[in-house]
Amino acid sequence: MAQDVRRSSERAKRLPRAVREKQILDAAVEVFSQHGYHMASMDVISEVAGVSKPMIYSYLGAKEELFGHCIRRESNRLFEAVRDGIRPDVPPDMQLWHGLRSFYGFVAEYRQSWIVLHRHALAAGDPFAKEVTALRTRAIELVRDLVVSAGTQRGLASQAEFSGEGMAAALVGAAESLADWWLDNPHVPEGVLASWLMNLTWLGFNDLVEGSVWRPLE
């Protein structure tokens, strides 16, 4: 009888694989964000997740594999949040505005995810840094399309095509740096951050696609 009760209890504790993996990944992101990749302990991750280390190994692998899973999940969540926040029914500048709001909204809600992606994954080196580079490339392509769209609407498609990717890379880099600064200055509202970046970059984009560019005197 006692054995039957124990087996029934064990079955009750079993969760679907997707739920268990989410539980482990959530715990891993928390621990990696606090300690970094090299200093994070699988013992601590196991304790935070409430599962055994053998179960973690069975579901998601050892620490290197687990960290890779974390990076890929958070990268996809971040990109999808930004992409889905861009409204296709508004002008390109407003599309970028909504995208930036979504980006900083994600960083605000998933602070630990951003720390893992922007600080610890890059510091850990390859192959983890390549995952973040791939995320940045997708973000640059997204912004480039907005710049090219804005230029095309003004009859300056060739100029926008020429400069779009470089300008998009500059904006994505600025957005990341500002998000990193925000981690230490959380009192600034996310909408203010997006406004700062729009005023810093989009006005310049607009001048560029209009053909008005700054040149040195000498």
Side-chain angles (χ1 to χ4, degrees), residues 74 77 81 105-115:
E74 303 315 306
R77 291 171 72 185
F106 179 91
V107 176
E109 185 174 359
Y110 302 103
R111 177 186 176 92
Q112 293 175 335
S113 301
W114 178 248
I115 291 174

Side-chain angles (χ1 to χ4, degrees), residues 8 19 22 69 74 91 96-97 146 171 213:
S8 177
V19 175
K22 180 181 184 303
H69 282 297
E74 303 315 306
L96 180 59
W97 161 255
L146 297 181
L171 187 145
V213 297

Side-chain angles (χ1 to χ4, degrees), residues 75-154:
S75 293
N76 287 331
R77 291 171 72 185
L78 172 56
F79 182 79
E80 288 168 4
V82 174
R83 182 197 61 199
D84 294 345
I86 296 175
R87 292 174 47 188
D89 60 327
V90 297
D93 61 329
M94 290 303 298
Q95 291 184 41
L96 180 59
W97 161 255
H98 287 296
L100 289 172
R101 287 294 303 270
S102 298
F103 170 62
Y104 290 118
F106 179 91
V107 176
E109 185 174 359
Y110 302 103
R111 177 186 176 92
Q112 293 175 335
S113 301
W114 178 248
I115 291 174
V116 169
L117 288 173
H118 192 65
R119 292 186 173 177
H120 297 318
L122 293 174
D126 289 337
F128 310 120
K130 288 183 179 178
E131 298 277 0
V132 179
T133 299
L135 170 64
R136 181 177 293 129
T137 298
R138 287 196 291 170
I140 289 171
E141 291 172 350
L142 196 63
V143 176
R144 179 203 61 203
D145 291 344
L146 297 181
V147 175
V148 172
S149 176
T152 301
Q153 290 180 14
R154 292 170 172 80

Side-chain angles (χ1 to χ4, degrees), residues 57-77:
Y57 298 145
S58 174
Y59 275 63
L60 294 166
K63 187 166 82 167
E64 180 176 354
E65 295 171 283
L66 178 60
F67 193 56
H69 282 297
C70 289
I71 293 171
R72 283 187 288 276
R73 187 187 74 162
E74 303 315 306
S75 293
N76 287 331
R77 291 171 72 185

